[in-house]
Coordinates of all heavy atoms in Angstrom, one line a residue:
M4 N -37.8 15.8 42.1 CA -39.0 15.1 41.8 C -39.9 16.1 41.0 O -40.2 17.1 41.4 CB -39.7 14.7 43.0 CG -40.9 13.8 42.7 SD -41.4 13.2 44.2 CE -42.4 12.4 44.7
G5 N -40.2 15.6 39.8 CA -41.0 16.5 38.9 C -42.5 16.4 39.3 O -43.0 15.7 40.1
I6 N -43.2 17.3 38.6 CA -44.6 17.4 38.9 C -45.4 16.2 38.4 O -46.3 15.7 39.2 CB -45.2 18.7 38.2 CG1 -44.6 19.9 38.8 CG2 -46.7 18.7 38.3 CD1 -45.0 21.2 38.1
L7 N -45.0 15.6 37.3 CA -45.7 14.4 36.8 C -45.4 13.2 37.7 O -46.4 12.4 38.0 CB -45.2 14.1 35.4 CG -45.7 15.1 34.3 CD1 -45.1 14.7 33.0 CD2 -47.2 15.1 34.2
S8 N -44.2 13.1 38.2 CA -44.0 12.0 39.1 C -44.7 12.1 40.4 O -45.2 11.2 41.0 CB -42.5 11.8 39.3 OG -41.9 12.9 39.9
A9 N -44.8 13.4 40.9 CA -45.6 13.6 42.1 C -47.1 13.3 41.9 O -47.7 12.7 42.8 CB -45.4 15.1 42.5
L10 N -47.6 13.7 40.7 CA -49.0 13.4 40.5 C -49.2 11.9 40.3 O -50.2 11.4 40.7 CB -49.5 14.1 39.2 CG -49.7 15.6 39.3 CD1 -50.0 16.2 38.0 CD2 -50.8 15.9 40.3
A11 N -48.2 11.2 39.7 CA -48.3 9.8 39.6 C -48.3 9.1 40.9 O -49.1 8.1 41.2 CB -47.2 9.2 38.7
A12 N -47.5 9.6 41.8 CA -47.4 9.0 43.2 C -48.7 9.3 43.9 O -49.2 8.4 44.7 CB -46.2 9.6 44.0
F13 N -49.2 10.5 43.8 CA -50.5 10.8 44.4 C -51.6 9.9 43.9 O -52.5 9.4 44.6 CB -50.9 12.3 44.2 CG -52.2 12.7 44.8 CD1 -52.4 12.8 46.1 CD2 -53.3 12.9 43.9 CE1 -53.6 13.2 46.6 CE2 -54.5 13.2 44.4 CZ -54.7 13.4 45.8
A14 N -51.7 9.7 42.6 CA -52.7 8.8 42.0 C -52.6 7.4 42.4 O -53.6 6.7 42.6 CB -52.6 8.9 40.5
E15 N -51.3 6.9 42.6 CA -51.1 5.6 43.1 C -51.6 5.4 44.5 O -52.2 4.4 44.8 CB -49.6 5.2 43.0 CG -49.3 3.8 43.4 CD -49.9 2.8 42.4 OE1 -50.0 3.1 41.3 OE2 -50.2 1.7 42.9
T16 N -51.4 6.4 45.4 CA -51.8 6.2 46.8 C -53.3 6.4 46.9 O -54.0 5.8 47.7 CB -51.1 7.3 47.7 OG1 -51.4 8.6 47.2 CG2 -49.7 7.0 47.7
M17 N -53.9 7.2 46.0 CA -55.4 7.5 46.1 C -56.2 6.5 45.3 O -57.4 6.4 45.4 CB -55.7 8.9 45.6 CG -55.2 10.0 46.5 SD -56.1 9.9 48.0 CE -54.7 9.9 49.2
S18 N -55.5 5.6 44.4 CA -56.3 4.7 43.6 C -56.9 3.6 44.5 O -57.7 2.8 44.0 CB -55.4 4.1 42.5 OG -54.4 3.3 43.1
N19 N -56.5 3.5 45.7 CA -57.0 2.4 46.6 C -58.3 2.9 47.3 O -58.8 2.1 48.2 CB -56.0 2.0 47.6 CG -54.8 1.4 46.9 OD1 -54.9 0.8 45.9 ND2 -53.6 1.6 47.5
N20 N -58.8 4.0 47.0 CA -60.0 4.5 47.7 C -61.2 4.6 46.7 O -61.2 5.3 45.8 CB -59.7 5.9 48.2 CG -60.7 6.4 49.2 OD1 -61.8 5.8 49.3 ND2 -60.4 7.5 49.9
L21 N -62.2 3.8 47.0 CA -63.4 3.7 46.1 C -64.2 5.0 46.2 O -64.9 5.3 45.2 CB -64.2 2.5 46.5 CG -65.4 2.2 45.6 CD1 -64.9 1.9 44.2 CD2 -66.2 1.0 46.2
G22 N -64.1 5.7 47.3 CA -64.9 6.9 47.5 C -64.4 8.0 46.5 O -65.3 8.7 45.9
L23 N -63.1 8.1 46.2 CA -62.6 9.0 45.3 C -63.1 8.7 43.8 O -63.3 9.6 43.0 CB -61.1 9.1 45.4 CG -60.6 9.8 46.6 CD1 -59.1 9.7 46.6 CD2 -61.1 11.2 46.7
V24 N -63.2 7.4 43.6 CA -63.7 7.0 42.3 C -65.1 7.5 42.1 O -65.5 8.0 41.0 CB -63.6 5.5 42.1 CG1 -64.3 5.0 40.8 CG2 -62.2 5.0 42.1
A25 N -65.9 7.3 43.1 CA -67.3 7.8 43.1 C -67.4 9.3 42.9 O -68.3 9.8 42.2 CB -68.1 7.3 44.3
I26 N -66.5 10.0 43.6 CA -66.6 11.5 43.5 C -66.2 11.9 42.1 O -66.8 12.8 41.5 CB -65.6 12.1 44.6 CG1 -66.2 11.9 46.0 CG2 -65.4 13.6 44.3 CD1 -65.3 12.3 47.1
G27 N -65.1 11.2 41.5 CA -64.7 11.6 40.2 C -65.8 11.3 39.2 O -66.1 12.1 38.2
A28 N -66.5 10.2 39.3 CA -67.7 9.9 38.4 C -68.8 10.9 38.6 O -69.4 11.3 37.6 CB -68.2 8.5 38.7
G29 N -69.0 11.3 39.8 CA -70.1 12.3 40.1 C -69.7 13.7 39.5 O -70.6 14.3 38.9
I30 N -68.5 14.1 39.5 CA -68.0 15.3 38.9 C -68.2 15.2 37.4 O -68.6 16.2 36.7 CB -66.6 15.7 39.3 CG1 -66.5 16.0 40.8 CG2 -66.0 16.8 38.4 CD1 -65.2 16.2 41.3
A31 N -67.9 14.1 36.8 CA -68.1 13.9 35.4 C -69.6 14.0 35.0 O -69.9 14.6 34.0 CB -67.5 12.6 34.9
I32 N -70.4 13.4 35.8 CA -71.9 13.5 35.5 C -72.4 14.9 35.7 O -73.3 15.3 35.0 CB -72.6 12.5 36.4 CG1 -72.3 11.1 36.0 CG2 -74.1 12.7 36.4 CD1 -72.8 10.8 34.6
L33 N -71.8 15.7 36.6 CA -72.2 17.1 36.8 C -72.0 17.9 35.5 O -72.8 18.8 35.2 CB -71.4 17.8 37.9 CG -72.0 17.6 39.3 CD1 -71.0 18.2 40.3 CD2 -73.4 18.1 39.4
T34 N -71.0 17.5 34.7 CA -70.8 18.1 33.4 C -72.0 17.9 32.5 O -72.4 18.9 31.8 CB -69.5 17.6 32.8 OG1 -68.4 17.7 33.7 CG2 -69.2 18.3 31.5
G35 N -72.5 16.7 32.6 CA -73.7 16.5 31.8 C -74.9 17.3 32.3 O -75.8 17.7 31.5
G36 N -75.0 17.4 33.6 CA -76.1 18.2 34.1 C -76.0 19.7 33.7 O -77.0 20.3 33.3
F37 N -74.8 20.2 33.7 CA -74.6 21.6 33.3 C -74.8 21.7 31.8 O -75.2 22.8 31.3 CB -73.3 22.1 33.7 CG -73.2 22.4 35.2 CD1 -72.2 21.8 35.9 CD2 -74.1 23.2 35.8 CE1 -72.1 22.1 37.3 CE2 -74.0 23.4 37.2 CZ -73.0 22.9 37.9
S38 N -74.6 20.7 31.1 CA -74.8 20.7 29.6 C -76.3 20.9 29.3 O -76.7 21.5 28.4 CB -74.3 19.4 29.0 OG -74.6 19.3 27.7
S39 N -77.2 20.2 30.2 CA -78.6 20.4 30.0 C -79.0 21.9 30.2 O -79.9 22.4 29.6 CB -79.4 19.5 30.8 OG -79.2 19.8 32.2
L40 N -78.4 22.5 31.2 CA -78.6 23.9 31.4 C -78.2 24.8 30.2 O -78.9 25.7 29.8 CB -77.9 24.4 32.7 CG -78.4 23.9 34.0 CD1 -77.5 24.4 35.1 CD2 -79.9 24.3 34.2
G41 N -77.1 24.4 29.6 CA -76.6 25.1 28.4 C -77.6 24.9 27.3 O -77.8 25.8 26.5
E42 N -78.1 23.7 27.1 CA -79.1 23.5 26.0 C -80.3 24.3 26.2 O -80.9 24.9 25.3 CB -79.5 22.0 26.0 CG -78.4 21.1 25.4 CD -78.8 19.7 25.4 OE1 -80.0 19.4 25.4 OE2 -77.9 18.8 25.4
S43 N -80.8 24.4 27.4 CA -82.0 25.2 27.7 C -81.7 26.7 27.4 O -82.6 27.4 26.9 CB -82.5 25.0 29.1 OG -81.6 25.5 30.0
W44 N -80.5 27.2 27.7 CA -80.1 28.5 27.5 C -80.1 28.8 26.0 O -80.5 29.8 25.5 CB -78.8 28.8 28.2 CG -78.3 30.2 28.1 CD1 -78.8 31.2 28.9 CD2 -77.4 30.8 27.2 NE1 -78.1 32.4 28.5 CE2 -77.3 32.1 27.5 CE3 -76.6 30.2 26.2 CZ2 -76.4 33.0 26.8 CZ3 -75.8 31.1 25.5 CH2 -75.7 32.4 25.8
I45 N -79.5 27.8 25.2 CA -79.4 28.0 23.8 C -80.8 28.1 23.2 O -81.1 29.0 22.4 CB -78.6 26.8 23.2 CG1 -77.2 26.9 23.5 CG2 -78.8 26.8 21.6 CD1 -76.4 25.6 23.2
C46 N -81.7 27.2 23.6 CA -83.1 27.2 23.0 C -83.8 28.4 23.4 O -84.6 29.0 22.6 CB -83.8 25.9 23.5 SG -83.2 24.4 22.8
C47 N -83.7 28.8 24.6 CA -84.4 30.0 25.1 C -84.0 31.3 24.3 O -84.9 32.0 23.8 CB -84.0 30.3 26.6 SG -84.7 31.8 27.3
H48 N -82.7 31.5 24.1 CA -82.3 32.6 23.3 C -82.6 32.5 21.8 O -82.8 33.5 21.2 CB -80.8 32.9 23.6 CG -80.6 33.4 25.0 ND1 -80.9 34.7 25.3 CD2 -80.1 32.8 26.1 CE1 -80.6 34.9 26.6 NE2 -80.2 33.8 27.1
A49 N -82.6 31.3 21.3 CA -82.9 31.1 19.9 C -84.4 31.5 19.7 O -84.8 32.1 18.7 CB -82.6 29.7 19.4
I50 N -85.3 31.0 20.6 CA -86.7 31.3 20.5 C -87.0 32.7 20.7 O -87.8 33.3 20.0 CB -87.5 30.4 21.5 CG1 -87.4 28.9 21.0 CG2 -88.9 30.9 21.6 CD1 -88.0 28.0 22.1
D51 N -86.2 33.4 21.6 CA -86.3 34.8 21.8 C -85.9 35.6 20.5 O -86.6 36.5 20.1 CB -85.4 35.2 22.9 CG -85.6 36.7 23.3 OD1 -86.8 37.2 23.3 OD2 -84.6 37.3 23.6
G52 N -84.9 35.1 19.8 CA -84.5 35.8 18.6 C -85.5 35.6 17.5 O -85.7 36.4 16.7
M53 N -86.1 34.3 17.4 CA -87.1 34.1 16.4 C -88.3 34.9 16.6 O -89.0 35.3 15.6 CB -87.4 32.6 16.4 CG -86.4 31.7 15.9 SD -87.0 30.0 16.0 CE -85.4 29.1 16.2
S54 N -88.7 35.1 17.9 CA -89.9 35.9 18.1 C -89.6 37.4 17.8 O -90.6 38.1 17.4 CB -90.3 35.8 19.6 OG -89.4 36.3 20.5
R55 N -88.4 37.9 18.0 CA -88.1 39.3 17.7 C -87.9 39.6 16.2 O -88.1 40.7 15.7 CB -86.8 39.7 18.5 CG -87.0 39.8 20.0 CD -85.7 40.1 20.6 NE -85.8 40.1 22.1 CZ -85.8 41.1 22.9 NH1 -85.6 42.3 22.3 NH2 -85.9 41.0 24.2
N56 N -87.4 38.5 15.5 CA -87.0 38.7 14.1 C -87.5 37.5 13.3 O -86.7 36.6 13.0 CB -85.5 38.9 14.0 CG -85.1 39.5 12.7 OD1 -86.0 39.8 11.8 ND2 -83.8 39.8 12.5
P57 N -88.8 37.3 13.0 CA -89.3 36.1 12.4 C -88.7 35.8 11.0 O -88.7 34.6 10.6 CB -90.8 36.4 12.3 CG -91.1 37.5 13.2 CD -89.8 38.3 13.3
E58 N -88.3 36.8 10.3 CA -87.7 36.5 9.0 C -86.4 35.8 9.0 O -86.0 35.2 8.0 CB -87.6 37.8 8.1 CG -86.7 38.8 8.7 CD -87.4 39.8 9.5 OE1 -88.6 39.7 9.8 OE2 -86.8 40.8 10.0
N59 N -85.7 35.8 10.1 CA -84.5 35.0 10.3 C -84.7 33.7 11.0 O -83.7 33.1 11.5 CB -83.5 35.8 11.1 CG -82.8 36.9 10.2 OD1 -82.8 36.8 9.0 ND2 -82.2 37.8 10.9
Q60 N -85.9 33.2 11.0 CA -86.2 31.9 11.7 C -85.4 30.8 11.2 O -84.9 30.0 12.0 CB -87.7 31.6 11.6 CG -88.0 30.4 12.4 CD -89.5 30.0 12.3 OE1 -90.3 30.8 11.6 NE2 -89.9 28.9 12.8
K61 N -85.3 30.6 9.9 CA -84.6 29.4 9.3 C -83.1 29.4 9.8 O -82.5 28.4 10.1 CB -84.7 29.4 7.8 CG -86.0 29.2 7.3 CD -86.4 27.7 7.5 CE -87.8 27.5 6.8 NZ -88.3 26.2 7.0
K62 N -82.5 30.6 9.7 CA -81.1 30.7 10.0 C -80.9 30.5 11.5 O -79.9 29.8 11.9 CB -80.5 32.1 9.7 CG -79.1 32.3 9.9 CD -78.6 33.7 9.5 CE -77.2 33.9 9.8 NZ -76.7 35.2 9.4
L63 N -81.7 31.1 12.4 CA -81.6 30.9 13.8 C -81.9 29.4 14.2 O -81.2 28.9 15.1 CB -82.6 31.8 14.5 CG -82.2 33.3 14.6 CD1 -83.3 34.1 15.2 CD2 -80.9 33.4 15.4
Q64 N -82.8 28.8 13.5 CA -83.2 27.4 13.9 C -82.1 26.5 13.5 O -81.7 25.6 14.3 CB -84.5 27.0 13.1 CG -85.0 25.7 13.6 CD -86.4 25.4 12.9 OE1 -86.8 26.1 12.0 NE2 -87.0 24.4 13.4
S65 N -81.5 26.6 12.4 CA -80.4 25.7 12.0 C -79.1 25.9 12.9 O -78.5 25.0 13.3 CB -80.0 25.9 10.5 OG -79.5 27.3 10.3
T66 N -78.9 27.2 13.3 CA -77.8 27.5 14.2 C -78.1 26.9 15.6 O -77.2 26.3 16.2 CB -77.6 29.0 14.3 OG1 -77.3 29.5 13.0 CG2 -76.4 29.3 15.2
M67 N -79.3 27.0 16.0 CA -79.7 26.4 17.3 C -79.5 24.9 17.3 O -79.0 24.3 18.3 CB -81.2 26.8 17.6 CG -81.6 26.2 18.9 SD -83.4 26.3 19.2 CE -84.0 25.1 18.0
I68 N -80.0 24.2 16.2 CA -79.8 22.8 16.2 C -78.4 22.4 16.2 O -78.0 21.4 16.9 CB -80.6 22.2 14.9 CG1 -82.1 22.4 15.1 CG2 -80.2 20.8 14.7 CD1 -82.9 22.1 13.9
L69 N -77.5 23.1 15.5 CA -76.1 22.8 15.5 C -75.5 23.0 16.9 O -74.7 22.1 17.4 CB -75.4 23.6 14.5 CG -73.9 23.5 14.5 CD1 -73.5 22.1 14.0 CD2 -73.2 24.5 13.6
A70 N -75.9 24.1 17.6 CA -75.4 24.3 18.9 C -75.8 23.3 20.0 O -75.1 22.9 20.8 CB -75.8 25.8 19.3
V71 N -77.1 22.9 19.9 CA -77.6 21.9 20.8 C -76.9 20.6 20.5 O -76.6 19.8 21.5 CB -79.1 21.8 20.7 CG1 -79.7 20.6 21.4 CG2 -79.8 23.1 21.2
A72 N -76.6 20.2 19.3 CA -76.0 19.0 19.0 C -74.5 19.0 19.6 O -74.1 18.0 20.1 CB -75.9 18.7 17.5
L73 N -73.8 20.1 19.4 CA -72.5 20.2 20.0 C -72.5 20.1 21.5 O -71.7 19.5 22.2 CB -71.8 21.5 19.5 CG -71.4 21.5 18.1 CD1 -70.9 22.9 17.7 CD2 -70.4 20.5 17.8
D74 N -73.5 20.8 22.1 CA -73.7 20.7 23.6 C -74.0 19.3 24.1 O -73.5 18.9 25.1 CB -74.7 21.7 24.0 CG -74.7 22.0 25.5 OD1 -73.6 21.9 26.1 OD2 -75.7 22.4 26.0
E75 N -74.8 18.6 23.3 CA -75.2 17.3 23.7 C -74.0 16.3 23.6 O -73.9 15.4 24.4 CB -76.4 16.8 22.8 CG -77.0 15.5 23.3 CD -77.6 15.5 24.6 OE1 -78.2 16.6 25.0 OE2 -77.6 14.5 25.3
S76 N -73.2 16.6 22.6 CA -72.0 15.7 22.5 C -71.1 15.9 23.7 O -70.5 14.9 24.2 CB -71.2 16.0 21.2 OG -70.6 17.3 21.3
C77 N -71.0 17.1 24.3 CA -70.3 17.3 25.6 C -70.9 16.4 26.7 O -70.1 15.8 27.5 CB -70.3 18.7 25.9 SG -69.4 19.1 27.4
A78 N -72.2 16.3 26.8 CA -72.8 15.5 27.8 C -72.6 14.0 27.6 O -72.3 13.3 28.5 CB -74.3 15.8 27.8
I79 N -72.5 13.6 26.3 CA -72.3 12.2 26.0 C -70.8 11.9 26.4 O -70.5 10.8 26.9 CB -72.6 11.9 24.5 CG1 -74.1 12.0 24.3 CG2 -72.0 10.5 24.1 CD1 -74.5 11.9 22.9
Y80 N -69.9 12.8 26.1 CA -68.5 12.6 26.5 C -68.4 12.5 28.0 O -67.6 11.7 28.5 CB -67.6 13.7 25.9 CG -67.4 13.6 24.5 CD1 -67.3 14.8 23.7 CD2 -67.3 12.4 23.8 CE1 -67.1 14.7 22.3 CE2 -67.1 12.3 22.4 CZ -67.0 13.5 21.7 OH -66.8 13.5 20.4
A81 N -69.1 13.3 28.7 CA -69.1 13.2 30.2 C -69.6 11.9 30.7 O -69.0 11.3 31.6 CB -69.9 14.4 30.8
L82 N -70.6 11.4 30.1 CA -71.1 10.1 30.5 C -70.1 9.0 30.2 O -69.9 8.1 31.0 CB -72.4 9.8 29.7 CG -73.1 8.4 30.0 CD1 -73.5 8.3 31.4 CD2 -74.2 8.2 29.0
I83 N -69.4 9.1 29.1 CA -68.4 8.1 28.7 C -67.3 8.1 29.7 O -66.8 7.1 30.2 CB -67.9 8.3 27.3 CG1 -69.0 7.9 26.3 CG2 -66.7 7.4 27.0 CD1 -68.7 8.2 24.9
V84 N -66.8 9.3 30.1 CA -65.8 9.5 31.1 C -66.2 8.9 32.4 O -65.4 8.2 33.1 CB -65.4 11.0 31.2 CG1 -64.5 11.2 32.4 CG2 -64.6 11.4 30.0
A85 N -67.5 9.2 32.8 CA -67.9 8.7 34.1 C -68.0 7.1 34.1 O -67.6 6.5 35.1 CB -69.3 9.2 34.4
I86 N -68.4 6.5 33.0 CA -68.4 5.1 32.9 C -67.0 4.5 32.9 O -66.7 3.5 33.6 CB -69.2 4.6 31.6 CG1 -70.7 4.9 31.8 CG2 -68.9 3.2 31.3 CD1 -71.5 4.7 30.5
L87 N -66.1 5.2 32.2 CA -64.7 4.7 32.3 C -64.1 4.9 33.7 O -63.3 4.0 34.1 CB -63.9 5.5 31.3 CG -64.1 5.2 29.8 CD1 -63.3 6.1 28.9 CD2 -63.7 3.7 29.5
I88 N -64.4 5.9 34.4 CA -63.9 6.1 35.7 C -64.4 5.0 36.6 O -63.7 4.4 37.4 CB -64.3 7.5 36.3 CG1 -63.5 8.6 35.7 CG2 -64.1 7.5 37.8 CD1 -63.9 10.0 36.0
I89 N -65.7 4.7 36.5 CA -66.3 3.6 37.4 C -65.7 2.3 37.0 O -65.3 1.5 38.0 CB -67.8 3.6 37.2 CG1 -68.4 4.9 37.8 CG2 -68.4 2.4 37.9 CD1 -69.9 5.1 37.5
F90 N -65.6 1.9 35.8 CA -65.2 0.5 35.4 C -63.7 0.3 35.4 O -63.2 -0.8 35.7 CB -65.9 0.1 34.1 CG -67.4 -0.2 34.3 CD1 -68.3 0.6 33.7 CD2 -67.8 -1.2 35.1 CE1 -69.6 0.4 33.8 CE2 -69.2 -1.4 35.3 CZ -70.1 -0.6 34.6
V91 N -63.0 1.3 35.0 CA -61.5 1.2 34.9 C -60.9 1.4 36.3 O -60.1 0.6 36.8 CB -60.9 2.1 33.9 CG1 -59.4 2.1 33.9 CG2 -61.4 1.7 32.5
L92 N -61.1 2.6 36.9 CA -60.6 2.9 38.2 C -61.2 2.0 39.3 O -60.6 1.7 40.3 CB -60.7 4.3 38.6 CG -59.8 5.3 37.7 CD1 -60.0 6.7 38.1 CD2 -58.3 4.9 37.8
G93 N -62.5 1.8 39.2 CA -63.2 1.0 40.2 C -62.7 -0.5 40.2 O -62.7 -1.1 41.2
A94 N -62.3 -1.0 39.0 CA -61.8 -2.3 39.0 C -60.4 -2.4 39.7 O -60.1 -3.5 40.2 CB -61.7 -2.8 37.5
K95 N -59.6 -1.3 39.6 CA -58.4 -1.3 40.3 C -58.5 -1.3 41.8 O -57.7 -1.9 42.6 CB -57.5 -0.1 39.9 CG -56.9 -0.2 38.6 CD -56.1 1.0 38.3 CE -55.4 0.9 36.9 NZ -54.6 2.1 36.7
V96 N -59.6 -0.7 42.3 CA -59.8 -0.6 43.7 C -60.4 -1.9 44.3 O -59.9 -2.4 45.3 CB -60.8 0.5 44.1 CG1 -61.2 0.6 45.5 CG2 -60.2 1.9 43.7
A97 N -61.3 -2.5 43.6 CA -61.9 -3.8 44.1 C -61.0 -5.0 44.0 O -59.9 -5.1 43.7 CB -63.1 -4.1 43.2

């Protein structure tokens, strides 16, 4: 019995439990929460760099905006995954 078939069998037995669906959605939402911490870290260090070196403000600001946009996309993907977990796996349980 291969690893994939063992995982498929485990998923089949666990798909009948609504609590695991809620835990999976919660873990996906935690990714979004940690993404907000990452955004604050990015902004904090960009502002620190701008205050230390004001002539590089334009370069640091554009880099910061790009980094925050990429970090925010991670949070949006986590929200989409959580919604899919709830509505796709939750529909199988109900």
Side-chain angles (χ1 to χ4, degrees):
M4 184 170 182
I6 293 175
L7 291 177
S8 60
L10 286 174
F13 177 75
E15 182 66 32
T16 58
M17 290 295 126
S18 67
N19 297 328
N20 194 346
L21 188 60
L23 290 177
V24 171
I26 290 172
I30 290 171
I32 290 297
L33 275 176
T34 304
F37 288 126
S38 177
S39 67
L40 291 175
E42 287 179 23
S43 64
W44 186 78
I45 290 168
C46 291
C47 172
H48 288 284
I50 291 171
D51 185 39
M53 287 179 212
S54 66
R55 290 174 187 250
N56 198 358
E58 59 269 5
N59 280 342
Q60 179 182 359
K61 294 285 186 186
K62 184 178 178 183
L63 287 171
Q64 187 175 11
S65 62
T66 305
M67 178 192 72
I68 290 172
L69 178 65
V71 168
L73 291 173
D74 194 26
E75 187 66 30
S76 68
C77 179
I79 291 170
Y80 289 143
L82 177 64
I83 291 171
V84 167
I86 289 171
L87 286 175
I88 287 172
I89 290 170
F90 288 113
V91 173
L92 292 180
K95 284 185 179 180
V96 173

